[in-house]
Amino acid sequence: MVPPSAVAHGACGRRMRSGGGAMAAEAPLPPAARAPPGGAAGREAAAAPGGRAARAEGTEGLFVVLGAGLTAASHPLLYVKLLIQVGHEPLPPTVGRNVLGRRVLYLPGFFTYARHIVEVDGKRGLFRGLTPRLISSTLSTITRGSVKKAFPLEDMEHVSNKDDVKTSLRKVVKETSHEMMMQCVSRLVSHPLHVISMRCMVQFVGREVKYSGVFSAIGRIFKEEGILGFFVGLVPHVLGDVIFLWCCNLLAHFINTYAVDDNFSQASVIRSYTKFVMGIAVSMLTYPFLLVGDLMAVNNCGLRAGLPPYAPAFASWIHCWRYLSAQGQLFRGSSLLFRRAPVPASCFPID
């Protein structure tokens, strides 16, 4: 079949030969002749691949920007959390009362702790270690997007009926496996910058300046600890991520399948919140992996926060886990508002 454009060029040539001259040769083709085959549908089909690629790049860029903004906004919270995790308590506890009216000792919460950091380092001190954390977050987002493009997940039909439990379970397993692969790869790529960020932040404890910049920190870690120094604490972080994904997705699936009836008018609404609620619950159970991973990232690296009396030099992350478990500190730093001191209030005088 001869394309319309070829027919148009042929007609133009005949007009030139029949006496149109140079003016006919220079006359622009009408829009219909310049259009690709198929009219408007053809134009959309011709522009579709480039348009999809541009939209994909724009979406990925938007995710990077939003992720960076969220990382910067939440950095003071993570900073205070890390200092509590390593056991740095610069402020004395205060006496308060619990819901039963009994006197208890409360350690400073997030706002009191953050105010102390501002008094020592100024407002900019709340963002110590932000640069490597931003780079780590950006690398994680880009890596997840790249892995998703390289290994796309085939679309599967939504299944929620109890009659299709096996099909639905296979769907959940397939999606979770794909998400686990993306998470593990992104964690592996971004972890070296995570280690640098952790060490920059805990320098507040001993007022050190050992890790003052990203490039100097990379050189120092490579010189003192080798390539493995960039991946200390990686194993507990990956284990925590994997356990979180599988527990959260499987629990949400079983609740939506067996506990939520399809005949219920608000079933779809309830199912949309199940995974979110399960994520909060499971994150508390996997918190010890996060704590151990962060402590291993700063342990025995030459900073005061990674040495006695804050912590012994751990031989492995399992050693760190057992040490915290023996002291009942596996959930240290999990709460930032109402923090109970591990000593009875009767040990302290009350004015």
Side-chain angles (χ1 to χ4, degrees):
M1 180 176 179
V2 180
S5 57
V7 175
H9 283 293
C12 181
R14 285 193 298 271
R15 286 195 300 270
M16 291 171 61
R17 288 192 295 270
S18 61
M23 293 298 292
E26 296 176 0
L29 294 175
R34 295 197 303 269
R43 288 193 297 270
E44 293 178 0
R52 283 196 297 269
R55 285 195 298 271
E57 292 178 359
T59 302
E60 184 175 344
L62 179 62
F63 277 124
V64 170
V65 173
L66 290 177
L70 183 61
T71 299
S74 63
H75 189 76
L77 190 69
L78 185 137
Y79 185 20
V80 172
K81 187 185 191 74
L82 178 64
L83 294 180
I84 295 174
Q85 285 178 334
V86 300
H88 183 56
E89 299 291 349
L91 302 174
T94 57
V95 179
R97 295 185 181 275
N98 59 14
V99 293
L100 300 178
R102 296 179 180 178
R103 292 182 301 177
V104 293
L105 282 177
Y106 286 105
L107 292 170
F110 165 74
F111 296 103
T112 305
Y113 211 125
R115 192 180 307 117
H116 170 72
I117 294 175
V118 171
E119 291 174 354
V120 176
D121 283 344
K123 293 181 180 179
R124 292 185 60 184
L126 288 173
F127 297 93
R128 180 195 294 262
L130 176 60
T131 300
R133 186 163 176 249
L134 283 174
I135 300 175
S136 176
S137 174
T138 303
L139 285 175
S140 178
T141 303
I142 295 175
T143 302
R144 288 179 66 91
S146 301
V147 174
K148 190 173 182 179
K149 291 179 182 177
F151 303 96
L153 180 65
E154 297 179 1
D155 294 334
M156 297 183 67
E157 186 177 356
H158 176 69
V159 180
S160 61
N161 297 327
K162 295 182 181 179
D163 297 334
D164 301 313
V165 172
K166 291 184 179 179
T167 304
S168 180
L169 184 59
R170 284 198 300 269
K171 174 179 179 290
V172 172
V173 170
K174 186 174 183 179
E175 291 178 347
T176 305
S177 300
H178 186 260
E179 191 175 354
M180 179 185 68
M181 178 183 63
M182 292 192 299
Q183 180 63 29
C184 290
V185 175
S186 65
R187 174 69 71 176
L188 179 66
V189 172
S190 62
H191 192 75
L193 274 301
H194 175 77
V195 172
I196 295 175
S197 177
M198 297 292 104
R199 295 186 180 184
C200 288
M201 286 188 276
V202 298
Q203 290 183 133
F204 177 84
V205 176
R207 313 306 299 162
E208 297 106 338
V209 290
K210 183 177 180 180
Y211 299 96
S212 56
V214 175
F215 295 105
S216 61
I218 291 174
R220 182 176 290 274
I221 292 176
F222 184 78
K223 180 180 179 181
E224 295 180 356
E225 305 172 52
I227 192 67
L228 294 180
F230 295 102
F231 299 97
V232 287
L234 175 63
V235 174
H237 272 299
V238 171
L239 286 176
D241 292 340
V242 171
I243 294 174
F244 173 83
L245 284 174
W246 282 102
C247 289
C248 180
N249 290 353
L250 289 177
L251 284 174
H253 164 71
F254 288 126
I255 290 175
N256 289 337
T257 302
Y258 295 104
V260 182
D261 192 349
D262 288 336
N263 296 325
F264 184 57
S265 60
Q266 300 296 326
S268 60
V269 178
I270 294 177
R271 286 194 176 102
S272 65
Y273 286 101
T274 302
K275 194 172 182 179
F276 173 75
V277 175
M278 288 299 99
I280 297 176
V282 175
S283 65
M284 291 301 298
L285 297 178
T286 58
Y287 177 80
F289 291 96
L290 173 66
L291 173 62
V292 172
D294 288 345
L295 291 184
M296 290 301 298
V298 302
N299 185 251
N300 198 25
C301 64
L303 299 177
R304 184 181 175 187
L307 298 171
Y310 290 96
F314 298 118
S316 66
W317 71 270
I318 298 178
H319 179 201
C320 178
W321 183 292
R322 291 175 177 173
Y323 173 82
L324 293 172
S325 179
Q327 294 192 341
Q329 296 290 311
L330 276 175
F331 291 90
R332 185 170 65 193
S334 60
S335 175
L336 294 179
L337 295 179
F338 303 101
R339 303 172 52 225
R340 292 278 299 273
V343 292
S346 57
C347 297
F348 290 80
I350 302 177
D351 295 333

